Amino acid sequence: MIQLIAIDLDGTLLNDDLEITPRTREAVRTVADLGVTIAIATGRMHASAEPFAAELGIETPIISYNGAMIREAGAAEPMFHLTVPAPLAAEVLERAVAERASVEYFCDDIFYVTHVDHWARWYWQRTGCPPVPVGDLRKLNANEPTKILIVGSPEENAERLPRLQEEYDGQLYVTLSLPEYIELLHPQVSKANALRWLANYLGVEMAQTMALGDQLNDLEMIEAAEVGVMMAGAEESLRARADFVPTSCEEGVAEALETLVLGPAGRSGK
């Protein structure tokens, strides 16, 4: 019996319009009514995920920042939080300045940028979290951010990602959450580790877990869970490593929950 389900937001719980469809919302609520814990698991900041937890209308822990933070919706403090050491954060910022890369800096659940460019506006539009422009981000060097985001075109990031992963191997967790987003976090951060921590906290065995996602940053979590679901819109190489791939691109979460958890009774609404 599945007792804990972690669901990614963008490209998974949310459709292309960044909305939860009625069918998906109903499936999630029906599963929650069975006593299953539903956790949102996203690369987004916590504040950006909270409205979707409220929309689901259930009590749900939020795994945010790719697993760097676990916090109940509405809670003042996180249950779990890992940050990037200040010296490493400063090094990443210096590198970004030298390479003229666009950087988004997340500290204390605040979204900092040098200035509000098209990338900052895009993140703002997608997440509802306004950026705070500070000019030179290096003035924040004494802080320990939760996450640093290097933003660029998919082509630029395809070149940057393996290089950054090699250079910061063992020092930072470097992953791709969207083709435009390279995320740099504490080396022990991953959605998989967050799922393990939350399962232990809840007294749930990993054999009782399920995870759903669509990007590279979801893969470890999907492989760590007993049942791993990769969305139909994911790259073929990622889909090949999942236990189940829904046919629906818009309502893959509903399809997976109806098929794997609720069964025929759930699909018929009985």
Side-chain angles (χ1 to χ4, degrees), residues 17-140:
D17 295 321
L18 302 180
E19 296 173 343
I20 303 173
T21 69
R23 177 187 173 193
T24 297
R25 184 167 54 248
E26 180 63 24
V28 170
R29 287 177 177 174
T30 301
V31 170
D33 286 344
L34 297 176
V36 178
T37 298
I38 304 291
I40 289 174
T42 180
R44 294 189 186 203
M45 56 197 298
H46 177 85
S48 174
E50 277 206 333
F52 298 107
E55 183 179 346
L56 288 172
I58 61 175
E59 293 186 6
T60 174
I62 297 172
I63 297 170
S64 57
Y65 297 104
N66 272 316
M69 181 184 291
I70 306 175
R71 185 171 164 186
E72 295 281 357
E77 297 294 332
M79 307 152 59
F80 174 88
H81 191 197
L82 292 173
T83 56
V84 177
L88 271 175
E91 181 182 326
V92 170
L93 289 180
E94 287 289 351
R95 175 189 294 274
V97 169
E99 296 183 3
R100 297 185 178 181
S102 182
V103 174
E104 297 174 357
Y105 187 97
F106 299 82
C107 188
D108 298 324
D109 217 33
I110 299 173
F111 166 33
Y112 294 102
V113 295
T114 57
H115 61 283
V116 182
D117 60 6
H118 71 287
W119 289 119
R121 286 191 293 270
W122 189 49
Y123 190 92
W124 186 1
Q125 181 181 18
R126 288 184 59 256
T127 68
C129 294
V132 177
V134 294
D136 190 347
L137 286 171
R138 289 174 294 184
K139 67 177 64 174
L140 303 174

Side-chain angles (χ1 to χ4, degrees), residues 116-215:
V116 182
D117 60 6
H118 71 287
W119 289 119
R121 286 191 293 270
W122 189 49
Y123 190 92
W124 186 1
Q125 181 181 18
R126 288 184 59 256
T127 68
C129 294
V132 177
V134 294
D136 190 347
L137 286 171
R138 289 174 294 184
K139 67 177 64 174
L140 303 174
N141 276 351
N143 294 316
E144 293 194 350
T146 305
K147 177 175 76 173
I148 299 174
L149 202 63
I150 295 181
V151 190
S153 69
E155 295 74 22
E156 289 173 324
N157 283 346
E159 183 277 325
R160 283 182 181 140
L161 180 65
R163 175 165 52 85
L164 289 172
Q165 287 177 325
E166 180 179 358
E167 292 178 5
Y168 288 107
D169 184 34
Q171 300 180 76
L172 291 172
Y173 174 57
V174 183
T175 191
L176 202 69
S177 57
L178 287 175
E180 296 83 3
Y181 290 164
I182 294 179
E183 314 232 354
L184 298 97
L185 305 108
H186 186 283
Q188 294 177 14
V189 164
S190 73
K191 288 187 181 183
N193 286 341
L195 178 63
R196 293 186 186 99
W197 189 95
L198 184 58
N200 182 69
Y201 177 83
L202 296 172
V204 172
E205 299 292 332
M206 286 300 292
Q208 298 172 305
T209 63
M210 179 176 174
L212 302 90
D214 74 312
Q215 292 287 341

